[in-house]
Amino acid sequence: MPCLLLALVFLFPVSGALQPGLALAQDTSTSAPLMTRSLSPEVMLIIEADGTILFRHLPTGEDLLQASVPVAEERRRFRTREPAASPFLDLISEGEPGGMRGFSAGADDDGDGVQDEDRRDGQDNDGDGLVDEDFAAIGHDMAVVDRPEGLGAVHLESYRWSYPELQGAVFLSSSSSRADLAALKVTTGGQCWVETDITGVRHTTTGRPVAHRSHPFVTRLDVPTSAGHTRPLWLAVMVLGDRPGYLALGGDGGCSLDFPLSTDSLPLVFCVASSWLQLTTTLTQADLVYRGVTDPLTGRQAHWIVPGACPACRAGILPAFSFQTDEPQRLVLRMKVDKGKAFQVDPDLFSLSGQALGSPREVTWIPAAGSSLPLNWGSMDTGRLLHHEGGLQNPYVRFGLLEGHGAEGTVEFAFARPAGLTLPPPDGEAALQGVWLGGRTFSTAAAGGSAVPVPEVLQGTLLESETASGEELADPTRVRQAISMDQKRPPTLSPMLLEGWPNPFHDVIQVRFRVPTTVGEAFAWDDVGDIPEHLDKDAPIPWSGGSPTATVKIYNINGQELVTLYGGSVGVGEYSVQWNGSDAFGRQVASGTYFCKLQLDDWSVTRRLVYVR
């Protein structure tokens, strides 16, 4: 694989074609691709100089998906009379000069009160004598292709973000000067496209689960593996936003899609994923990116904004795993679920001792108190989609608490034991790899045996010891030492203890903070390996004076303190303060990014705030 990737670097030299921010017109007949990026370890995104989007499977060299706008028939007839002009090409990214957008103070680059009026195409679209001085630069990678074709012109903008939850997605915004001349054609090397509804679950920045419905076209391909088998890859294309009537199927029975173009930009997303659940999660996130952010005070909307992550999802503290083989051909993997922690993993993407487990036969929720509940899971294919609208949904929505972070118990995944899988003895450990629903991968150790190893809980203590007496274990000094700031990598306060709304804000932002009761509620570690062994998450927090001293302060991006919103001794509970965008002297600060810091005794957590005057 490394040799193949190295070869692709020479075959598709981005630096040899265009440098970011450099715009030019060029002959597309022999030019190198405009952009190449990795969508997954085995799929490469290629954007050609005519705007064609390709998803190329690296092991086989085959194109899994192609999206292109063919030259219009009328243009072909007039080719000899009117030579085609060379297209305008560019590679840029968010924050480029002249390309500020959204709620940025510099988004209206020419100061006329209108944003993004002069799109990136090498022309003076707003008639002010300047070229491309007030456009929108979108995403970490933005490729622009403007094709003047005599009787009609096509404008294509492709966007990508490098965040894990969007790794397999590329966005396209396309338009044509003549609606009757151009259409985007999307074809695939897999099965024919299936139109379906999906319901994804997203978490707000406060951790609250919200259902989100989308309407994509999907297909599945079976690609070869190095072991000589095949495994599925899922592809999807979806119109973003509420745009009924935009889509028309091609004439080959649904195995290609035609999207008619007009003078209004048509936003779409193309996705590739290793599982059905990863595909639906990415599509949900993609639709939210397009919808962007709405200012609750002015009602002004900014598209193409990646939403903030749920604090518990972002922290990604790994649950405990164990496994057992309760019969010769069956393997059971158990995952311990703790309240307030992330646990939504993809059931289809586990690997144990380096071997993929495939799709589980059964997924069962076993609450800490109550009866077990099957979570309705099985292998997904397009036939299932055709017979059951929406197909296989997120298994965690079957039980309400599993949608968010409020459940306690165990999730049990039952697999057919892969042939040749070698496991350690019952008291040993096996390497386990998996993928969160947000796309991030993780590695941990799964303990052999019949149950998840859970440390004995000693009420009022943090550490477990066979030799220490109850009085020694209850000593607040020992508890404090275990989470001491003297440690090499001490914890911070949990991000869930501090939030601000609305954010961004114009007038006043409500800052809410919470004083927790237990160690489990209070702290977050950067790495699961930093958590002290035998952590009792129900232990009381060893505040220095029995109750903490709390401060809430605002800082600018240079770390200078601007104002203290709260200071004093507090008890357990929730509190609310306001900030109106002024410093300690009552002076209004400038629009921009600021930081709100909650300090409880020796521990703190900081959240970013955006102020727009």
Side-chain angles (χ1 to χ4, degrees):
M1 182 66 72
C3 295
L4 182 56
L5 289 174
L6 184 61
L8 280 165
V9 170
F10 288 101
L11 286 171
F12 306 113
V14 176
S15 59
L18 290 173
Q19 296 291 341
L22 176 64
L24 67 155
Q26 70 177 57
D27 179 7
T28 62
S29 60
T30 59
S31 61
L34 177 58
M35 185 170 75
T36 61
R37 296 291 187 269
S38 175
L39 296 174
S40 75
E42 59 182 326
V43 180
M44 179 74 74
L45 164 68
I46 301 172
I47 299 181
E48 303 282 10
D50 65 352
T52 297
I53 292 175
L54 301 173
F55 284 10
R56 184 158 295 168
H57 187 237
L58 296 179
T60 62
E62 296 182 359
D63 290 335
L64 308 178
L65 178 146
Q66 175 176 314
S68 62
V69 181
V71 176
E73 290 296 326
E74 289 191 31
R75 174 69 192 90
R76 290 194 180 98
R77 292 201 300 269
F78 286 89
R79 181 170 294 179
T80 56
R81 301 185 188 179
E82 185 179 345
S86 296
F88 172 93
L89 308 177
D90 196 14
L91 280 180
I92 50 179
S93 61
E94 288 182 350
E96 290 283 324
M100 296 292 185
R101 65 186 183 88
F103 298 118
S104 168
D108 179 15
D109 299 271
D110 53 4
D112 64 355
V114 181
Q115 291 186 13
D116 309 336
E117 62 191 316
D118 191 7
R119 72 183 183 190
R120 190 71 161 168
D121 59 3
Q123 302 177 44
D124 177 16
N125 297 288
D126 53 0
D128 62 357
L130 301 174
V131 174
D132 296 347
E133 87 289 354
D134 191 8
F135 63 95
I138 298 172
H140 294 146
D141 297 298
M142 174 177 171
V144 179
V145 176
D146 192 83
R147 289 170 24 188
E149 298 185 349
L151 297 180
V154 173
H155 185 79
L156 305 165
E157 293 182 358
S158 300
Y159 319 131
R160 275 203 74 244
W161 282 268
S162 58
Y163 301 118
E165 65 269 29
L166 295 170
Q167 180 69 28
V170 59
F171 299 82
L172 178 67
S173 183
S174 52
S175 61
S176 172
S177 61
R178 289 274 304 273
D180 58 333
L181 289 183
L184 179 77
K185 180 176 287 293
V186 184
T187 58
T188 175
Q191 305 168 14
C192 290
W193 297 101
V194 175
E195 186 177 9
T196 186
D197 287 315
I198 62 170
T199 301
V201 176
R202 66 180 180 92
H203 290 169
T204 66
T205 53
T206 60
R208 182 172 60 90
V210 178
H212 186 84
R213 197 170 180 86
S214 304
H215 190 77
F217 283 77
V218 301
T219 187
R220 192 182 107 161
L221 305 90
D222 293 313
V223 297
T225 66
S226 57
H229 306 295
T230 62
R231 69 173 190 81
L233 274 181
W234 286 90
L235 298 172
V237 56
M238 182 172 73
V239 177
L240 298 169
D242 301 317
R243 293 170 177 262
Y246 252 97
L247 184 65
L249 283 174
D252 52 359
C255 293
S256 68
L257 300 172
D258 288 340
F259 295 85
L261 302 183
S262 69
T263 54
D264 294 327
S265 291
L266 175 65
L268 301 105
V269 64
F270 306 93
C271 296
V272 61
S274 298
S275 73
W276 171 252
L277 203 52
Q278 290 296 325
L279 185 79
T280 57
T281 302
T282 302
L283 287 170
T284 296
Q285 185 75 1
D287 203 30
L288 295 173
V289 168
Y290 170 71
R291 294 175 187 274
V293 176
T294 300
D295 188 325
L297 295 178
T298 66
R300 178 180 158 204
Q301 186 175 26
H303 289 291
W304 307 113
I305 303 291
V306 178
C310 160
C313 299
R314 184 172 62 245
I317 299 176
L318 285 173
F321 288 92
S322 71
F323 67 90
Q324 73 169 131
T325 53
D326 57 359
E327 55 185 74
Q329 301 303 318
R330 182 175 134 115
L331 183 141
V332 176
L333 182 68
R334 293 187 176 93
M335 177 178 66
K336 179 70 167 58
V337 175
D338 291 318
K339 189 173 183 179
K341 301 298 189 294
F343 60 87
Q344 288 90 350
V345 298
D346 193 323
D348 290 347
L349 297 182
F350 284 116
S351 292
L352 192 66
S353 297
Q355 189 159 351
L357 299 181
S359 185
R361 294 173 173 176
E362 303 168 16
V363 179
T364 306
W365 165 239
I366 308 171
S371 303
S372 300
L373 177 73
L375 294 182
N376 186 29
W377 193 248
S379 181
M380 168 61 83
D381 56 34
T382 51
R384 182 169 182 172
L385 279 177
L386 287 169
H387 292 95
H388 301 279
E389 183 180 352
L392 198 64
Q393 299 296 345
N394 185 328
Y396 304 112
V397 305
R398 176 79 186 278
F399 181 66
L401 282 176
L402 289 175
E403 292 180 315
H405 301 290
E408 290 183 281
T410 301
V411 178
E412 187 175 273
F413 306 94
F415 298 90
R417 179 172 176 173
L421 177 63
T422 302
L423 296 175
D427 58 348
E429 292 184 337
L432 177 72
Q433 291 81 39
V435 183
W436 299 100
L437 293 193
R440 290 184 299 166
T441 59
F442 64 84
S443 298
T444 187
S450 60
V452 178
V454 182
E456 181 183 352
V457 175
L458 301 177
Q459 185 63 34
T461 70
L462 181 68
L463 297 179
E464 178 183 19
S465 170
E466 295 179 357
T467 59
S469 68
E471 289 77 10
E472 290 172 326
L473 287 173
D475 183 358
T477 301
R478 295 197 61 204
V479 176
R480 192 174 184 84
Q481 286 174 350
I483 50 176
S484 170
M485 297 299 291
D486 297 331
Q487 291 182 13
K488 184 177 180 180
R489 299 179 69 179
T492 63
L493 290 178
S494 168
M496 300 182 72
L497 301 180
L498 178 67
E499 62 179 353
W501 189 91
N503 192 18
F505 74 101
H506 281 286
D507 187 16
V508 173
I509 185 170
Q510 298 287 337
V511 177
R512 300 182 181 91
F513 67 94
R514 182 164 59 89
V515 178
T517 58
T518 66
V519 169
E521 292 178 281
F523 299 110
W525 280 262
D526 290 336
D527 191 282
V528 66
D530 297 328
I531 302 176
E533 291 186 20
H534 309 305
L535 176 67
D536 177 6
K537 297 169 185 175
D538 294 325
I541 305 163
W543 305 120
S544 57
S547 60
T549 297
T551 61
V552 179
K553 297 184 177 184
I554 303 295
Y555 297 83
N556 63 20
I557 58 175
N558 296 320
Q560 297 169 318
E561 181 181 329
L562 298 179
V563 64
T564 298
L565 303 180
Y566 186 88
S569 180
V570 290
V572 172
E574 293 193 0
Y575 300 82
S576 179
V577 292
Q578 294 183 340
W579 184 44
N580 61 2
S582 62
D583 63 14
F585 300 98
R587 298 173 299 198
Q588 210 69 18
V589 300
S591 296
T593 298
Y594 296 87
F595 297 95
C596 181
K597 181 179 180 180
L598 168 66
Q599 184 93 25
L600 296 176
D601 276 7
D602 295 335
W603 300 285
S604 65
V605 61
T606 301
R607 301 297 293 267
R608 187 180 69 165
L609 309 178
V610 178
Y611 177 50
V612 182
R613 294 183 61 175

